[in-house]
Every structure is written in C-alpha cells, then in structure tokens.
Amino acid sequence: MAEMARLVGQRQWAVGEAFSLGDIAVGTAAGYVSLRYQDLPWRTLHPDLALFIDRLAQRASFKDSVPVAQLIADKVV
C-alpha cells in the first residue's frame, strides 16, 4: 500500500493523463486489501491513496464489481 501511495501521490490518475489499466490495478489491489485485511489501517496511513480509491469507487465499473468475501464451506482436499 505504501508503494502504491507513493506512486499515485496526489495525481488524478495512476499513470498518464487518463483512466488506464494502472488505475484498475491500484483500485482492485486496494479493494482486495480492504476485504482481506480489514484491520490494516491503510486509509489512515495513506490518506491521498484513500482519496484516489474513493474517486475510483464512484465509477460505474468499480461500483459494479465491489469484491465480497466468499464463504468456502467445502472441504479442500
């Protein structure tokens, strides 16, 4: 998270001057971390990254693909 925060900084987009795969990568990685490591205070530690993610979250593509925790009940063999 620290490296993504450093790279994104206060930029509008992760890479370049328009929405790109870089934004998707940062957004999905942050979504995964938020879901799987809920006790990690990355938003407090990296407020600019949190703002960046909040802006991405307003896009329809991100709203339509919010990750959810899966409950795996089957025994893994």
Side-chain angles (χ1 to χ4, degrees):
M1 299 306 290
E3 185 62 9
M4 285 191 296
R6 185 188 72 77
L7 291 170
V8 171
Q10 294 181 338
R11 299 171 50 105
Q12 182 176 359
W13 305 111
V15 178
E17 301 301 320
F19 181 75
S20 71
L21 185 57
D23 301 295
I24 296 169
V26 171
T28 56
Y32 178 84
V33 169
S34 293
L35 181 68
R36 296 293 179 200
Y37 301 98
Q38 295 178 9
D39 292 337
L40 183 68
W42 71 265
R43 289 182 160 273
T44 303
L45 296 171
H46 309 291
D48 288 337
L49 181 61
L51 290 172
F52 179 83
I53 296 303
D54 291 343
R55 282 196 314 274
L56 287 180
Q58 298 306 309
R59 298 179 65 88
S61 58
F62 277 87
K63 287 180 183 178
D64 293 342
S65 60
V66 174
V68 293
Q70 299 153 327
L71 184 59
I72 300 172
D74 293 337
K75 185 176 181 179
V76 177
V77 290

